[in-house]
mmCIF file of all heavy atoms in Angstrom:
data_model
loop_
_atom_site.group_PDB
_atom_site.id
_atom_site.type_symbol
_atom_site.label_atom_id
_atom_site.label_comp_id
_atom_site.label_asym_id
_atom_site.label_seq_id
_atom_site.Cartn_x
_atom_site.Cartn_y
_atom_site.Cartn_z
ATOM 1 N N SER A 222 -48.636 26.963 -104.987
ATOM 2 C CA SER A 222 -48.149 28.288 -105.006
ATOM 3 C C SER A 222 -47.838 28.795 -106.457
ATOM 4 O O SER A 222 -47.951 29.902 -106.678
ATOM 5 C CB SER A 222 -47.002 28.470 -104.093
ATOM 6 O OG SER A 222 -45.929 27.950 -104.616
ATOM 7 N N TRP A 223 -47.422 27.815 -107.239
ATOM 8 C CA TRP A 223 -47.046 28.132 -108.575
ATOM 9 C C TRP A 223 -48.229 28.612 -109.348
ATOM 10 O O TRP A 223 -48.183 29.577 -110.003
ATOM 11 C CB TRP A 223 -46.526 26.810 -109.234
ATOM 12 C CG TRP A 223 -45.777 27.036 -110.672
ATOM 13 C CD1 TRP A 223 -45.766 28.101 -111.386
ATOM 14 C CD2 TRP A 223 -44.932 25.931 -111.152
ATOM 15 N NE1 TRP A 223 -45.029 27.823 -112.500
ATOM 16 C CE2 TRP A 223 -44.496 26.511 -112.472
ATOM 17 C CE3 TRP A 223 -44.532 24.635 -110.869
ATOM 18 C CZ2 TRP A 223 -43.757 25.783 -113.277
ATOM 19 C CZ3 TRP A 223 -43.754 23.896 -111.763
ATOM 20 C CH2 TRP A 223 -43.378 24.461 -112.984
ATOM 21 N N ALA A 224 -49.442 27.889 -109.187
ATOM 22 C CA ALA A 224 -50.595 28.284 -109.843
ATOM 23 C C ALA A 224 -51.066 29.634 -109.290
ATOM 24 O O ALA A 224 -51.495 30.534 -109.980
ATOM 25 C CB ALA A 224 -51.664 27.235 -109.669
ATOM 26 N N VAL A 225 -51.126 29.805 -108.014
ATOM 27 C CA VAL A 225 -51.587 30.951 -107.270
ATOM 28 C C VAL A 225 -50.743 32.203 -107.701
ATOM 29 O O VAL A 225 -51.319 33.246 -108.054
ATOM 30 C CB VAL A 225 -51.493 30.847 -105.684
ATOM 31 C CG1 VAL A 225 -51.747 32.176 -105.098
ATOM 32 C CG2 VAL A 225 -52.561 29.766 -105.273
ATOM 33 N N LEU A 226 -49.336 32.049 -107.903
ATOM 34 C CA LEU A 226 -48.662 33.212 -108.255
ATOM 35 C C LEU A 226 -48.740 33.477 -109.658
ATOM 36 O O LEU A 226 -48.584 34.675 -110.191
ATOM 37 C CB LEU A 226 -47.111 32.965 -107.893
ATOM 38 C CG LEU A 226 -46.848 33.074 -106.297
ATOM 39 C CD1 LEU A 226 -45.437 32.728 -106.007
ATOM 40 C CD2 LEU A 226 -47.077 34.545 -105.907
ATOM 41 N N ALA A 227 -48.949 32.398 -110.645
ATOM 42 C CA ALA A 227 -49.130 32.648 -111.995
ATOM 43 C C ALA A 227 -50.341 33.510 -112.193
ATOM 44 O O ALA A 227 -50.349 34.473 -113.006
ATOM 45 C CB ALA A 227 -49.439 31.280 -112.711
ATOM 46 N N LEU A 228 -51.378 33.315 -111.402
ATOM 47 C CA LEU A 228 -52.606 34.104 -111.509
ATOM 48 C C LEU A 228 -52.310 35.544 -110.921
ATOM 49 O O LEU A 228 -52.786 36.447 -111.411
ATOM 50 C CB LEU A 228 -53.783 33.442 -110.731
ATOM 51 C CG LEU A 228 -54.489 32.330 -111.382
ATOM 52 C CD1 LEU A 228 -55.464 31.611 -110.386
ATOM 53 C CD2 LEU A 228 -55.199 32.628 -112.613
ATOM 54 N N THR A 229 -51.541 35.544 -109.873
ATOM 55 C CA THR A 229 -51.253 36.825 -109.187
ATOM 56 C C THR A 229 -50.548 37.829 -110.225
ATOM 57 O O THR A 229 -50.895 38.922 -110.274
ATOM 58 C CB THR A 229 -50.453 36.641 -107.988
ATOM 59 O OG1 THR A 229 -51.080 35.756 -107.013
ATOM 60 C CG2 THR A 229 -49.901 37.897 -107.388
ATOM 61 N N TYR A 230 -49.638 37.342 -110.923
ATOM 62 C CA TYR A 230 -48.786 38.103 -111.904
ATOM 63 C C TYR A 230 -49.742 38.581 -112.914
ATOM 64 O O TYR A 230 -49.679 39.791 -113.494
ATOM 65 C CB TYR A 230 -47.606 37.265 -112.434
ATOM 66 C CG TYR A 230 -46.580 36.843 -111.419
ATOM 67 C CD1 TYR A 230 -45.867 35.674 -111.706
ATOM 68 C CD2 TYR A 230 -46.472 37.587 -110.319
ATOM 69 C CE1 TYR A 230 -45.025 35.187 -110.674
ATOM 70 C CE2 TYR A 230 -45.449 37.061 -109.340
ATOM 71 C CZ TYR A 230 -44.841 35.945 -109.544
ATOM 72 O OH TYR A 230 -43.893 35.418 -108.575
ATOM 73 N N CYS A 231 -50.611 37.718 -113.373
ATOM 74 C CA CYS A 231 -51.541 38.036 -114.479
ATOM 75 C C CYS A 231 -52.476 39.180 -113.978
ATOM 76 O O CYS A 231 -52.684 40.193 -114.831
ATOM 77 C CB CYS A 231 -52.275 36.851 -114.985
ATOM 78 S SG CYS A 231 -53.188 36.970 -116.463
ATOM 79 N N ILE A 232 -53.094 39.014 -112.793
ATOM 80 C CA ILE A 232 -53.945 39.987 -112.239
ATOM 81 C C ILE A 232 -53.270 41.325 -112.022
ATOM 82 O O ILE A 232 -53.749 42.360 -112.322
ATOM 83 C CB ILE A 232 -54.617 39.530 -110.935
ATOM 84 C CG1 ILE A 232 -55.593 38.324 -111.304
ATOM 85 C CG2 ILE A 232 -55.258 40.516 -110.193
ATOM 86 C CD1 ILE A 232 -56.049 37.457 -110.143
ATOM 87 N N LYS A 233 -52.076 41.277 -111.532
ATOM 88 C CA LYS A 233 -51.236 42.588 -111.349
ATOM 89 C C LYS A 233 -51.043 43.315 -112.585
ATOM 90 O O LYS A 233 -51.032 44.525 -112.691
ATOM 91 C CB LYS A 233 -49.806 42.166 -110.671
ATOM 92 C CG LYS A 233 -48.918 43.194 -110.466
ATOM 93 C CD LYS A 233 -49.482 44.227 -109.462
ATOM 94 C CE LYS A 233 -48.550 45.503 -109.232
ATOM 95 N NZ LYS A 233 -49.131 46.545 -108.346
ATOM 96 N N GLN A 234 -50.655 42.519 -113.678
ATOM 97 C CA GLN A 234 -50.504 43.281 -114.979
ATOM 98 C C GLN A 234 -51.720 43.924 -115.457
ATOM 99 O O GLN A 234 -51.753 45.136 -116.006
ATOM 100 C CB GLN A 234 -49.907 42.252 -116.003
ATOM 101 C CG GLN A 234 -49.514 43.112 -117.284
ATOM 102 C CD GLN A 234 -49.090 42.060 -118.444
ATOM 103 O OE1 GLN A 234 -49.822 41.487 -119.094
ATOM 104 N NE2 GLN A 234 -47.746 41.952 -118.533
ATOM 105 N N TYR A 235 -52.966 43.200 -115.199
ATOM 106 C CA TYR A 235 -54.185 43.749 -115.629
ATOM 107 C C TYR A 235 -54.545 45.002 -114.723
ATOM 108 O O TYR A 235 -55.032 45.948 -115.353
ATOM 109 C CB TYR A 235 -55.359 42.649 -115.319
ATOM 110 C CG TYR A 235 -56.640 43.341 -115.569
ATOM 111 C CD1 TYR A 235 -57.123 43.432 -116.835
ATOM 112 C CD2 TYR A 235 -57.478 43.469 -114.368
ATOM 113 C CE1 TYR A 235 -58.499 43.972 -116.957
ATOM 114 C CE2 TYR A 235 -58.738 43.971 -114.732
ATOM 115 C CZ TYR A 235 -59.271 44.154 -115.934
ATOM 116 O OH TYR A 235 -60.436 44.746 -116.102
ATOM 117 N N GLU A 236 -54.211 44.940 -113.449
ATOM 118 C CA GLU A 236 -54.491 46.100 -112.548
ATOM 119 C C GLU A 236 -53.602 47.334 -112.899
ATOM 120 O O GLU A 236 -53.989 48.470 -112.753
ATOM 121 C CB GLU A 236 -54.407 45.689 -111.114
ATOM 122 C CG GLU A 236 -55.397 44.583 -110.756
ATOM 123 C CD GLU A 236 -56.221 44.813 -109.583
ATOM 124 O OE1 GLU A 236 -55.731 45.400 -108.621
ATOM 125 O OE2 GLU A 236 -57.436 44.442 -109.609
ATOM 126 N N GLN A 237 -52.413 46.954 -113.353
ATOM 127 C CA GLN A 237 -51.368 48.027 -113.625
ATOM 128 C C GLN A 237 -51.641 48.639 -115.044
ATOM 129 O O GLN A 237 -51.553 49.915 -115.071
ATOM 130 C CB GLN A 237 -50.059 47.345 -113.668
ATOM 131 C CG GLN A 237 -48.893 48.196 -113.183
ATOM 132 C CD GLN A 237 -47.662 47.443 -112.936
ATOM 133 O OE1 GLN A 237 -47.240 47.174 -111.737
ATOM 134 N NE2 GLN A 237 -46.968 46.883 -113.906
ATOM 135 N N ASN A 238 -51.951 47.877 -115.978
ATOM 136 C CA ASN A 238 -52.113 48.431 -117.393
ATOM 137 C C ASN A 238 -53.446 48.499 -117.926
ATOM 138 O O ASN A 238 -53.745 48.921 -119.044
ATOM 139 C CB ASN A 238 -51.308 47.542 -118.245
ATOM 140 C CG ASN A 238 -49.768 47.408 -117.797
ATOM 141 O OD1 ASN A 238 -49.308 48.300 -117.199
ATOM 142 N ND2 ASN A 238 -49.095 46.410 -118.320
ATOM 143 N N GLY A 239 -54.446 47.916 -117.140
ATOM 144 C CA GLY A 239 -55.948 47.939 -117.596
ATOM 145 C C GLY A 239 -56.124 46.837 -118.704
ATOM 146 O O GLY A 239 -57.255 46.657 -119.199
#
Side-chain angles (χ1 to χ4, degrees):
S222 72
W223 194 346
V225 169
L226 285 172
L228 283 177
T229 301
Y230 300 148
C231 195
I232 290 166
K233 177 64 183 178
Q234 192 184 77
Y235 173 75
E236 301 233 321
Q237 210 165 253
N238 304 337

